[in-house]
């Protein structure tokens, strides 16, 4: 039961991403070409609604299901890692049409070729860990 | 009910549902961020023995692995039980742009030219998927998050670093779309 809730949240995520076509390579191209509101609508709604929820959680000091206070960690303040790392990520996102979540959803959908993308992403993550100390952050 | 669910979901419904998932994970005492799993999988594969970055107790991230396991099941349910066999409603401008670049629109979620068997077993096709994955994996860890961790979790928490990362996502995405992709096909 403890594990089941995470699996169920994931199932819901997989269905949403598939049925809204957010896991589609074509849709990501459409987004980067600014030819439809679709993807902006999805992300925009999630961010707007999510911001209100996060604000309410902070304001009313809502606790999590086990009674612990909910804490939001601030991201460390710097520029290089976010702009350089983000740009590298964007290159891969537009090429494969998949960010880390949709990669996995696509495999379940039947696009087994995404396993190559996942393998690449694992190698990429490993290479980052390997040369992290040499990179500007 | 199932007929209704089979239809493509409108953006506002999907956006709201993603906010709900983020809220659920926060309520469970966790966070919404998928790319952390890539690091966790490296650790499970033994990367922590050689590289300090991967030397952490991955069991603390087990919940996130269960989440992406669920996401795979969700994808499977969508392509079987909830499949409607309708071509996706891609804008005609995008279809025209892609066709002029040499990529046909086949109505599926992903083009067979990139993800079909022929592509996977060609040198170029395999390389595109592998390098694309490398860029995503390296970039997301360097930036400290992906679309879920930065664009959703970060922006809803008003994090300036996340906004910078999202701007980076678009710089890279636009560069790939307009400057590199046309020369690959």
């Amino acid at each position: 039961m403890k594990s089941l809730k995470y699996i169920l949240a994931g199932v819901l995520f997989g269905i949403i991403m598939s049925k809204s076509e957010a896991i589609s390579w074509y849709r990501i191209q459409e987004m980067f070409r600014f030819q439809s509101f679709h993807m902006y609508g999805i992300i925009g709604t999630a961010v707007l609604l999510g911001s209100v929820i996060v604000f309410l959680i902070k304001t009313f000091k809502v606790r999590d299901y086990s009674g612990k206070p909910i804490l939001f960690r601030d991201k460390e303040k710097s520029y290089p890692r976010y702009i350089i790392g983000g740009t590298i990520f964007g290159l891969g996102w537009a090429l494969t049409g998949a960010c880390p979540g949709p990669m996995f959803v696509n495999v379940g959908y039947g696009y087994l070729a995404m396993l190559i993308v996942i393998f690449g992403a694992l190698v990429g993550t490993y290479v980052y860990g390997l040369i992290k100390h040499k990179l500007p952050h | 009910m199932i007929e209704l669910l089979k239809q493509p979901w409108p953006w506002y419904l999907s956006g709201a549902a993603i906010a709900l998932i983020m809220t659920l994970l926060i309520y469970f005492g966790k966070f919404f961020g998928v790319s952390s799993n890539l690091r966790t999988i490296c650790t499970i594969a033994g990367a922590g023995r050689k590289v300090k970055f991967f030397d952490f107790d991955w069991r603390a991230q087990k919940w996130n692995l269960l989440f992406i396991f669920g996401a795979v099941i969700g994808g499977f349910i969508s392509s079987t039980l909830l499949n409607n066999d309708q071509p996706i409603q891609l804008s005609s401008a995008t279809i025209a742009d892609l066709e002029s670049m040499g990529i046909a629109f086949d109505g599926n979620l992903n083009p067979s030219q990139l993800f079909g068997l022929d592509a996977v077993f060609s040198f170029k096709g395999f390389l595109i998927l592998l390098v694309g994955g490398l860029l995503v994996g390296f970039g997301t860890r360097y930036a400290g998050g992906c679309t879920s961790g930065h664009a959703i979790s970060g922006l809803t928490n008003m994090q300036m670093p996340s906004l910078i990362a999202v701007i980076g996502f678009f710089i890279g995405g636009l560069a790939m779309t307009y400057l590199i992709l046309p020369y690959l096909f």
Side-chain angles (χ1 to χ4, degrees), chain A residues 2 4-9 63-66 68 70, chain B residues 21-31 63:
Chain A
K2 246 179 90 182
L4 192 66
K5 60 180 186 291
Y6 300 115
I7 298 177
L8 289 178
R63 288 169 180 268
D64 70 16
Y65 80 116
S66 65
K68 289 199 198 89
I70 293 172
Chain B
I21 288 169
M22 183 193 78
T23 309
L24 274 176
L25 291 175
I26 290 173
Y27 180 68
F28 295 157
K30 313 297 183 197
F31 59 90
W63 67 270

Side-chain angles (χ1 to χ4, degrees), chain B residues 74-98:
Chain B
F76 179 73
I77 293 172
S78 306
S79 69
T80 50
L81 192 65
L82 299 178
N83 191 7
N84 68 354
D85 289 320
Q86 296 288 317
I88 68 167
Q89 302 288 311
L90 195 67
S91 89
S92 50
T94 309
I95 296 176
D97 277 4
L98 291 176

Side-chain angles (χ1 to χ4, degrees), chain A:
Chain A
M1 195 53 215
K2 246 179 90 182
S3 313
L4 192 66
K5 60 180 186 291
Y6 300 115
I7 298 177
L8 289 178
V11 171
L12 182 63
F13 175 70
I15 293 176
I16 291 161
M17 296 302 278
S18 305
K19 294 311 290 179
S20 63
E21 299 166 357
I23 62 164
S24 163
W25 185 92
Y26 290 116
R27 284 288 190 191
I28 301 302
Q29 272 299 302
E30 189 183 53
M31 174 183 82
F32 281 128
R33 290 168 190 276
F34 304 100
Q35 287 162 335
S36 166
F37 180 69
H38 189 76
M39 289 301 302
Y40 296 99
I42 294 175
I43 300 174
T45 308
V47 170
L48 271 176
L49 196 61
S51 301
V52 174
I53 294 168
V54 170
F55 176 78
L56 291 175
I57 290 175
K58 285 179 174 173
T59 307
F60 293 101
K61 300 191 170 55
V62 178
R63 288 169 180 268
D64 70 16
Y65 80 116
S66 65
K68 289 199 198 89
I70 293 172
L71 301 169
F72 291 94
R73 271 180 303 172
D74 284 341
K75 310 256 183 203
E76 52 179 285
K77 293 212 171 21
S78 78
Y79 285 93
R81 70 173 301 182
Y82 300 110
I83 198 77
I84 306 169
T87 302
I88 297 170
F89 172 88
L91 287 167
W93 189 14
L95 183 58
T96 62
C99 42
M103 277 179 199
F104 289 95
V105 180
N106 262 305
V107 169
Y109 202 93
Y111 287 100
L112 296 183
M114 277 291 173
L115 289 169
I116 302 170
V117 182
I118 293 176
F119 176 72
L122 289 171
V123 176
T125 302
Y126 182 72
V127 172
Y128 169 75
L130 211 56
I131 62 170
K132 182 176 184 269
H133 57 286
K134 290 180 185 155
L135 301 168
H137 276 79

